[in-house]
Amino acid sequence: MIVAIFPGTFDPITFGHLDIISRASKIVDKLIIGIAVNDRKNPIFTSEERLQIIRNQLKVSNFQNVEVKIFNGLLVDFMKRENAKINIRGLRVASDFTYEFQMSCINKKLDENVETVFLAALEGNQFISSTFVKEIALLGGDIEKFLPSEIARLLITKLNQTKH
Ligand code: COA
C-alpha cells in the first residue's frame, strides 16, 4: 500500500493545492494532507479551522482515498508515524525549485526512506499563493478565481474579524 503525504500550511487551501491533491490521489493508494502548525507564518486560520475547511472540501470534491491531519514538528517524523514514504510537492515556477530541492535533500538526510515526488502545477495555477490570495481579499479583489467560493467567503469573514 503506497501512502503519501502532501504537507503545507494551507492558509487557506487554493485551487492550486486542490489540483495537486486530485492528481496525487490517483497515483497512490492513500494520500494524507498534512497541515503544518507553522506559527512562523502567522496563519490567519487556526490549524483546527484549516482542518475543518479541508475536510469539508474533500467531501465536496468526493476524494475517496484522501485524509487530512494536523502535524507538529518534523515532516519526516509525521511521515514515519503515518507509514508514508512519499512526500508530494507541487512545483509552480522555476523559483520554487531551489527551495524545494533543498527541502527534499534535507528530508532525505533526516530519513533516507523518504522520497519527494514533484508534480508540476497546471499552467493556470502557477502564480497562486495563499499569501497573494489573502492580500487580494484584503484589498477587496475577486478571489473566487483562486479558491472555492465557500472558502473565499470564510476568508473574507475571517479577515474582516481580524481587521478590528
Ligand atoms: N498551488 C498553489 N499554491 C502553492 C502550491 C500549489 N501547487 N504549492 C505551494 N503553494 C504555495 C503555498 O500556498 C504557499 O503560499 P504562502 O507562502 O503564501 O502561504 C507557498 O506556495 C509556499 O508553499 P510551501 O513552500 O509549500 O510552504 P508551505 O508553508 O505550504 O509548507 C512545509 C512548508 C510545511 C512543507 C515545511 O515547512 C515543512 O515540512 N515543515 C515541517 C517542519 C520540517 O520538517 N522542517 C524541515 C523541512 S526541510
Side-chain angles (χ1 to χ4, degrees):
M1 166 129 163
I2 301 174
V3 183
I5 304 275
F6 177 37
T9 311
F10 305 110
D11 186 48
I13 194 163
T14 65
F15 285 137
H17 298 125
L18 288 167
D19 166 53
I20 299 291
I21 293 164
S22 163
R23 286 158 57 204
S25 68
K26 291 181 187 133
I27 55 172
V28 299
D29 297 304
K30 182 162 102 174
L31 179 69
I32 302 171
I33 303 169
I35 302 176
V37 174
N38 220 345
D39 289 332
R40 256 186 312 126
K41 274 202 163 176
N42 205 8
I44 182 110
F45 289 107
T46 65
S47 36
E48 282 301 327
E49 286 169 334
R50 283 175 274 155
L51 180 82
Q52 212 43 61
I53 289 170
I54 297 176
R55 206 166 261 163
N56 290 342
Q57 189 55 45
L58 293 180
K59 275 192 211 137
V60 173
S61 305
N62 201 20
F63 292 127
Q64 300 296 331
N65 60 338
V66 186
E67 293 175 11
V68 51
K69 294 186 178 179
I70 296 169
F71 77 98
N72 243 313
L74 286 178
L75 173 65
V76 291
D77 292 336
F78 176 56
M79 291 181 69
K80 208 172 283 171
R81 287 199 295 279
E82 298 297 334
N83 238 333
K85 296 209 168 42
I86 297 180
N87 173 28
I88 300 278
R89 299 293 292 161
L91 272 186
R92 293 164 302 165
V93 283
S95 54
D96 277 353
F97 180 77
T98 318
Y99 172 67
E100 290 296 338
F101 182 69
Q102 209 175 358
M103 259 205 314
S104 73
C105 293
I106 292 173
N107 284 326
K108 189 82 181 159
K109 261 278 187 267
L110 291 171
D111 184 343
E112 62 176 6
N113 296 311
V114 165
E115 293 296 349
T116 301
V117 172
F118 296 107
L119 298 184
L122 287 185
E123 211 173 55
N125 295 333
Q126 284 168 355
F127 53 88
I128 306 181
S129 101
S130 302
T131 301
F132 281 139
V133 170
K134 282 180 277 194
E135 186 172 322
I136 294 164
L138 256 179
L139 299 174
D142 176 13
I143 53 168
E144 294 203 9
K145 296 180 176 80
F146 308 117
L147 73 179
S149 48
E150 177 63 27
I151 304 176
R153 276 196 292 277
L154 288 172
L155 177 61
I156 292 163
T157 307
K158 189 79 177 186
L159 286 170
N160 282 335
Q161 282 166 356
T162 49
K163 246 195 245 173
H164 308 294

PDB file of all heavy atoms in Angstrom, residues 19 23 92-93 120-128:
ATOM      1  N   ASP A  19      -5.650  20.903  -7.112  1.00  0.00           N
ATOM      2  CA  ASP A  19      -5.202  20.211  -8.333  1.00  0.00           C
ATOM      3  C   ASP A  19      -4.130  19.172  -7.991  1.00  0.00           C
ATOM      4  O   ASP A  19      -4.184  18.031  -8.461  1.00  0.00           O
ATOM      5  CB  ASP A  19      -4.656  21.261  -9.319  1.00  0.00           C
ATOM      6  CG  ASP A  19      -3.879  20.611 -10.446  1.00  0.00           C
ATOM      7  OD1 ASP A  19      -4.427  19.711 -11.098  1.00  0.00           O
ATOM      8  OD2 ASP A  19      -2.705  20.991 -10.659  1.00  0.00           O
ATOM      9  N   ARG A  23      -4.524  15.070  -8.467  1.00  0.00           N
ATOM     10  CA  ARG A  23      -3.616  14.258  -9.290  1.00  0.00           C
ATOM     11  C   ARG A  23      -2.820  13.267  -8.444  1.00  0.00           C
ATOM     12  O   ARG A  23      -2.623  12.118  -8.844  1.00  0.00           O
ATOM     13  CB  ARG A  23      -2.708  15.193 -10.085  1.00  0.00           C
ATOM     14  CG  ARG A  23      -3.486  15.853 -11.228  1.00  0.00           C
ATOM     15  CD  ARG A  23      -2.849  17.135 -11.693  1.00  0.00           C
ATOM     16  NE  ARG A  23      -1.490  16.954 -12.114  1.00  0.00           N
ATOM     17  CZ  ARG A  23      -0.564  17.931 -12.122  1.00  0.00           C
ATOM     18  NH1 ARG A  23      -0.880  19.151 -11.730  1.00  0.00           N
ATOM     19  NH2 ARG A  23       0.642  17.692 -12.531  1.00  0.00           N
ATOM     20  N   ARG A  92       5.635  25.110  -8.922  1.00  0.00           N
ATOM     21  CA  ARG A  92       4.925  26.090  -9.740  1.00  0.00           C
ATOM     22  C   ARG A  92       5.871  26.763 -10.727  1.00  0.00           C
ATOM     23  O   ARG A  92       5.848  26.518 -11.904  1.00  0.00           O
ATOM     24  CB  ARG A  92       4.248  27.136  -8.847  1.00  0.00           C
ATOM     25  CG  ARG A  92       3.124  26.555  -8.006  1.00  0.00           C
ATOM     26  CD  ARG A  92       2.737  27.456  -6.893  1.00  0.00           C
ATOM     27  NE  ARG A  92       3.890  27.718  -6.045  1.00  0.00           N
ATOM     28  CZ  ARG A  92       3.968  28.673  -5.147  1.00  0.00           C
ATOM     29  NH1 ARG A  92       2.958  29.476  -4.986  1.00  0.00           N
ATOM     30  NH2 ARG A  92       5.045  28.817  -4.407  1.00  0.00           N
ATOM     31  N   VAL A  93       6.727  27.591 -10.231  1.00  0.00           N
ATOM     32  CA  VAL A  93       7.627  28.348 -11.115  1.00  0.00           C
ATOM     33  C   VAL A  93       9.070  27.954 -10.802  1.00  0.00           C
ATOM     34  O   VAL A  93       9.346  27.311  -9.786  1.00  0.00           O
ATOM     35  CB  VAL A  93       7.439  29.865 -10.905  1.00  0.00           C
ATOM     36  CG1 VAL A  93       6.170  30.346 -11.594  1.00  0.00           C
ATOM     37  CG2 VAL A  93       7.387  30.217  -9.433  1.00  0.00           C
ATOM     38  N   ALA A 120       4.166  19.009 -11.380  1.00  0.00           N
ATOM     39  CA  ALA A 120       4.193  20.362 -11.953  1.00  0.00           C
ATOM     40  C   ALA A 120       2.795  20.963 -11.867  1.00  0.00           C
ATOM     41  O   ALA A 120       1.812  20.325 -12.267  1.00  0.00           O
ATOM     42  CB  ALA A 120       4.654  20.287 -13.406  1.00  0.00           C
ATOM     43  N   ALA A 121       2.707  22.165 -11.338  1.00  0.00           N
ATOM     44  CA  ALA A 121       1.408  22.839 -11.229  1.00  0.00           C
ATOM     45  C   ALA A 121       0.862  23.102 -12.630  1.00  0.00           C
ATOM     46  O   ALA A 121       1.621  23.357 -13.570  1.00  0.00           O
ATOM     47  CB  ALA A 121       1.569  24.154 -10.480  1.00  0.00           C
ATOM     48  N   LEU A 122      -0.451  23.007 -12.771  1.00  0.00           N
ATOM     49  CA  LEU A 122      -1.067  23.310 -14.061  1.00  0.00           C
ATOM     50  C   LEU A 122      -0.817  24.769 -14.410  1.00  0.00           C
ATOM     51  O   LEU A 122      -0.679  25.613 -13.516  1.00  0.00           O
ATOM     52  CB  LEU A 122      -2.577  23.083 -13.984  1.00  0.00           C
ATOM     53  CG  LEU A 122      -3.067  21.637 -13.933  1.00  0.00           C
ATOM     54  CD1 LEU A 122      -4.594  21.619 -13.984  1.00  0.00           C
ATOM     55  CD2 LEU A 122      -2.492  20.829 -15.084  1.00  0.00           C
ATOM     56  N   GLU A 123      -0.818  25.053 -15.709  1.00  0.00           N
ATOM     57  CA  GLU A 123      -0.479  26.396 -16.185  1.00  0.00           C
ATOM     58  C   GLU A 123      -1.235  27.516 -15.442  1.00  0.00           C
ATOM     59  O   GLU A 123      -0.639  28.442 -14.940  1.00  0.00           O
ATOM     60  CB  GLU A 123      -0.782  26.467 -17.675  1.00  0.00           C
ATOM     61  CG  GLU A 123       0.140  27.411 -18.411  1.00  0.00           C
ATOM     62  CD  GLU A 123      -0.100  27.320 -19.894  1.00  0.00           C
ATOM     63  OE1 GLU A 123      -1.275  27.504 -20.306  1.00  0.00           O
ATOM     64  OE2 GLU A 123       0.859  27.054 -20.614  1.00  0.00           O
ATOM     65  N   GLY A 124      -2.531  27.355 -15.328  1.00  0.00           N
ATOM     66  CA  GLY A 124      -3.343  28.407 -14.714  1.00  0.00           C
ATOM     67  C   GLY A 124      -3.101  28.586 -13.217  1.00  0.00           C
ATOM     68  O   GLY A 124      -3.539  29.579 -12.625  1.00  0.00           O
ATOM     69  N   ASN A 125      -2.417  27.642 -12.587  1.00  0.00           N
ATOM     70  CA  ASN A 125      -2.231  27.699 -11.130  1.00  0.00           C
ATOM     71  C   ASN A 125      -0.823  28.117 -10.728  1.00  0.00           C
ATOM     72  O   ASN A 125      -0.504  28.149  -9.543  1.00  0.00           O
ATOM     73  CB  ASN A 125      -2.505  26.323 -10.507  1.00  0.00           C
ATOM     74  CG  ASN A 125      -3.944  25.905 -10.659  1.00  0.00           C
ATOM     75  OD1 ASN A 125      -4.817  26.766 -10.750  1.00  0.00           O
ATOM     76  ND2 ASN A 125      -4.197  24.624 -10.699  1.00  0.00           N
ATOM     77  N   GLN A 126       0.014  28.405 -11.713  1.00  0.00           N
ATOM     78  CA  GLN A 126       1.433  28.562 -11.399  1.00  0.00           C
ATOM     79  C   GLN A 126       1.763  29.817 -10.593  1.00  0.00           C
ATOM     80  O   GLN A 126       2.838  29.932 -10.039  1.00  0.00           O
ATOM     81  CB  GLN A 126       2.256  28.537 -12.690  1.00  0.00           C
ATOM     82  CG  GLN A 126       2.382  27.104 -13.196  1.00  0.00           C
ATOM     83  CD  GLN A 126       2.932  27.009 -14.591  1.00  0.00           C
ATOM     84  OE1 GLN A 126       3.141  28.030 -15.228  1.00  0.00           O
ATOM     85  NE2 GLN A 126       3.160  25.810 -15.073  1.00  0.00           N
ATOM     86  N   PHE A 127       0.844  30.741 -10.551  1.00  0.00           N
ATOM     87  CA  PHE A 127       1.132  32.004  -9.864  1.00  0.00           C
ATOM     88  C   PHE A 127       0.379  32.121  -8.542  1.00  0.00           C
ATOM     89  O   PHE A 127       0.536  33.090  -7.816  1.00  0.00           O
ATOM     90  CB  PHE A 127       0.753  33.187 -10.783  1.00  0.00           C
ATOM     91  CG  PHE A 127      -0.653  33.049 -11.274  1.00  0.00           C
ATOM     92  CD1 PHE A 127      -1.705  33.557 -10.546  1.00  0.00           C
ATOM     93  CD2 PHE A 127      -0.919  32.338 -12.437  1.00  0.00           C
ATOM     94  CE1 PHE A 127      -3.012  33.364 -10.967  1.00  0.00           C
ATOM     95  CE2 PHE A 127      -2.226  32.149 -12.863  1.00  0.00           C
ATOM     96  CZ  PHE A 127      -3.269  32.658 -12.128  1.00  0.00           C
ATOM     97  N   ILE A 128      -0.467  31.120  -8.215  1.00  0.00           N
ATOM     98  CA  ILE A 128      -1.285  31.233  -6.995  1.00  0.00           C
ATOM     99  C   ILE A 128      -0.425  30.995  -5.761  1.00  0.00           C
ATOM    100  O   ILE A 128       0.394  30.087  -5.726  1.00  0.00           O
ATOM    101  CB  ILE A 128      -2.441  30.199  -6.975  1.00  0.00           C
ATOM    102  CG1 ILE A 128      -3.281  30.291  -8.237  1.00  0.00           C
ATOM    103  CG2 ILE A 128      -3.318  30.377  -5.741  1.00  0.00           C
ATOM    104  CD1 ILE A 128      -4.457  29.303  -8.268  1.00  0.00           C
TER     105      ILE A 128
END
